[in-house]
């Protein structure tokens, strides 16, 4: 298809909040290449709150199971029209199947491969399988084995960008983006601050990790402002931190922030720290904030698949905060 003929595109992304932000460069590059193109985005109930921010760029459809019911409930849209291109980016079986039935000149996807042991034999499992993949005009393979030495080769956003470039969509900008106005400032601090998000992942870490993050917060708060938030509903580790630091002047605790609140908290910060919360990492990438991941050593390599382009990013072992010099290195804005 020539650039002038690309008028209607459908994108599947029915997974999580951060995953949707991770395809924001896809939406951006399509609009740059085809300013008049109509983009339909099929999202999930869960990530619709982020999809809504892109409503000026896309028409939003919320997926509901079963997929046949979803297609029939949008019959006029999906069967009486014909797309120029369908882009399947969520890896969900229901999305692959839905894409088969929706009319389009071209259909492209990522095909995921994973080795599984069945009765002692290693078998490669493909998603979609080759029968379903036959209905796609183009696909790229992604190995879903995080123990490989070359996780960078399967950087998800890079694969998405490569996939659309195969359809003569020029990649102009690789950066995450989020179209927002200046959000209200939630904390009392009138300057930028460190933003630390403590979600339910922290409940699974060893006691030493809790002790080390407390140490880091105490040291950092002597000279820096810190805002600490929880996931919706809170968690055990956050509740302990809340008790310890509620009355510290340089620390503000935000419990149960909404999506809008988290966007604001990240927007007004200078550095965002989490245990690789997908929403925090990808929002930070979109808002050009420094990112610090504090995670178990055993997942270091797999996280190479998720890092946004063109942001300052650091990763540290969650069990290695007891050393004073290392703690200083982690939180130094000069590095």
């Amino acid at each position: 298809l020539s650039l002038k003929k690309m008028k209607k595109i459908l994108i599947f992304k029915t997974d999580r909040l951060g995953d949707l932000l991770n395809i924001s460069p896809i939406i951006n590059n399509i609009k740059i290449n085809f300013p008049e193109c109509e983009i339909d985005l099929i999202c999930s109930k869960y990530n619709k709150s982020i999809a809504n921010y892109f409503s000026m760029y896309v028409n939003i459809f919320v997926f509901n199971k079963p997929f046949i019911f979803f297609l029939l409930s949008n019959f006029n849209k999906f069967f009486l029209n014909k797309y120029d291109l369908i882009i399947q980016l969520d890896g969900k079986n229901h999305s692959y199947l839905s894409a088969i039935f929706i009319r389009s000149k071209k259909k492209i996807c990522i095909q995921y491969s994973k080795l599984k042991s069945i009765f002692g034999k290693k078998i490669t499992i493909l998603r979609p399988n080759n029968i379903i993949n036959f209905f796609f005009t183009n696909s790229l393979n992604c190995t879903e084995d995080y123990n490989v030495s070359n996780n960078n080769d399967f950087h998800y956003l890079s694969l998405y960008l490569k996939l659309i470039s195969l359809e003569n969509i020029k990649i102009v900008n690789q950066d995450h983006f989020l179209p927002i106005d200046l959000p209200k400032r939630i904390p009392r601090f009138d300057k930028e601050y460190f933003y630390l998000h403590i979600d339910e992942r922290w409940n699974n870490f060893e006691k030493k990790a809790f002790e080390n993050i407390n140490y880091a917060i105490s040291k950092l708060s002597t000279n820096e402002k810190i805002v600490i938030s929880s996931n919706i509903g809170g968690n055990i580790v956050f509740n302990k931190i809340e008790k310890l630091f509620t009355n510290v002047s340089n620390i503000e605790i935000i419990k149960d922030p909404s999506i809008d609140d988290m966007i604001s908290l990240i927007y007004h910060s200078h550095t965002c720290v989490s245990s690789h919360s997908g929403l925090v990492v990808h929002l930070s990438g979109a808002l050009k904030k420094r990112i610090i991941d504090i995670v178990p050593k055993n997942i270091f390599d797999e996280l190479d698949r998720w890092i946004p382009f063109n942001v300052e990013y650091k990763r540290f072992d969650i069990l290695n905060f007891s050393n004073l010099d290392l703690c200083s290195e982690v939180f130094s804005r000069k590095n």
Side-chain angles (χ1 to χ4, degrees):
L1 291 171
S2 68
L3 297 185
K4 293 181 179 179
K5 292 183 179 180
M6 197 78 79
K7 296 179 180 179
K8 293 177 67 68
I9 293 177
L10 175 64
I11 301 174
F12 284 88
K13 199 62 179 160
T14 65
D15 37 21
R16 295 169 294 184
L17 297 164
D19 295 301
L20 184 55
L21 282 165
N22 198 35
I23 70 158
S24 59
I26 304 302
I27 297 172
N28 192 26
N29 280 287
I30 290 172
K31 275 301 184 183
I32 291 173
N33 280 269
F34 319 114
E36 303 302 319
C37 178
E38 181 181 354
I39 303 175
D40 291 337
L41 173 67
I42 299 178
C43 65
S44 65
K45 290 180 181 178
Y46 185 59
N47 65 22
K48 182 178 183 291
S49 56
I50 289 294
N52 286 335
Y53 282 92
F54 294 90
S55 59
M56 68 185 72
Y57 297 92
V58 301
N59 304 313
I60 298 169
F61 296 85
V62 179
F63 181 83
N64 292 296
K65 292 184 179 180
F67 80 93
I68 291 295
F69 175 80
F70 170 73
L71 294 179
L72 291 177
S73 63
N74 294 281
F75 183 87
N76 290 345
K77 183 67 177 178
F78 296 142
F79 293 107
L80 299 185
N81 291 297
K82 188 173 184 180
Y83 289 96
D84 293 306
L85 180 65
I86 291 178
I87 310 173
Q88 210 293 57
L89 296 179
D90 63 26
K92 303 291 186 181
N93 286 324
H94 57 70
S95 296
Y96 291 119
L97 289 171
S98 298
I100 289 176
F101 290 98
I102 299 174
R103 300 172 65 224
S104 181
K105 297 175 183 176
K106 286 192 172 184
K107 302 176 183 183
I108 60 177
C109 71
I110 304 294
Q111 184 180 44
Y112 298 91
S113 61
K114 191 170 187 177
L115 276 178
K116 288 193 175 182
S117 181
I118 300 177
F119 300 116
K121 292 185 177 181
K122 295 289 185 181
I123 297 177
T124 299
I125 304 297
L126 298 175
R127 189 179 76 253
N129 61 41
N130 285 330
I131 295 174
I132 296 175
N133 196 53
F134 173 80
F135 292 91
F136 288 84
T137 51
N138 224 332
S139 65
L140 290 177
N141 179 264
C142 178
T143 298
E144 289 294 274
D145 178 4
Y146 297 144
N147 294 317
V148 298
S149 60
N150 58 331
N151 275 284
N152 276 320
D153 291 346
F154 303 106
H155 182 256
Y156 292 118
L157 177 54
S158 295
L159 288 174
Y160 301 156
L161 291 168
K162 182 178 180 180
L163 184 65
I164 67 169
S165 70
L166 295 175
E167 303 303 320
N168 296 318
I169 300 175
K170 184 178 179 182
I171 307 304
V172 180
N173 193 322
Q174 296 180 320
D175 294 357
H176 284 40
F177 88 108
L178 184 68
I180 58 171
D181 297 322
L182 176 67
K184 64 179 181 180
R185 179 181 288 272
I186 296 174
R188 66 180 182 275
F189 306 135
D190 58 1
K191 295 182 179 179
E192 292 184 325
Y193 46 78
F194 279 94
Y195 173 54
L196 171 61
H197 184 67
I198 304 291
D199 62 18
E200 65 277 8
R201 291 177 179 83
W202 295 80
N203 292 341
N204 301 319
F205 300 145
E206 297 177 26
K207 182 180 178 181
K208 183 182 178 184
F210 173 68
E211 294 170 350
N212 289 345
I213 197 64
N214 287 343
Y215 168 82
I217 293 170
S218 296
K219 180 181 182 300
L220 185 63
S221 64
T222 58
N223 297 309
E224 293 280 356
K225 309 291 189 208
I226 309 174
V227 174
I228 305 173
S229 72
S230 72
N231 57 299
I232 294 177
N235 60 82
I236 296 171
V237 172
F238 174 83
N239 292 339
K240 291 179 179 178
I241 289 175
E242 183 180 25
K243 290 180 180 179
L244 287 172
F245 296 106
T246 292
N247 296 318
V248 178
S249 60
N250 275 354
I251 296 176
E252 187 158 351
I253 307 292
I254 309 289
K255 194 168 186 176
D256 292 337
S258 66
I259 299 300
D260 290 342
D261 291 340
M262 289 189 67
I263 291 172
S264 175
L265 292 172
I266 291 172
Y267 184 93
H268 293 289
S269 71
H270 57 67
T271 303
C272 298
V273 185
S274 73
S275 186
H276 197 79
S277 166
L279 178 61
V280 172
V281 168
H282 293 294
L283 275 174
S284 301
L287 300 176
K288 296 295 179 286
K289 303 299 177 178
R290 183 173 182 246
I291 302 169
I292 294 178
D293 267 344
I294 304 177
V295 293
K297 186 75 173 178
N298 66 310
I299 69 168
F300 269 33
D301 290 343
E302 71 179 75
L303 296 187
D304 288 341
R305 298 178 178 229
W306 292 105
I307 309 309
F309 288 113
N310 300 320
V311 292
E312 184 180 354
Y313 174 84
K314 287 192 173 185
R315 182 184 302 150
F316 294 93
D317 184 356
I318 197 165
L319 295 181
N320 201 16
F321 276 97
S322 59
N323 181 283
L324 181 63
D325 294 332
L326 178 58
C327 183
S328 298
E329 179 186 356
V330 170
F331 290 111
S332 171
R333 279 187 277 169
K334 296 179 182 179
N335 291 339

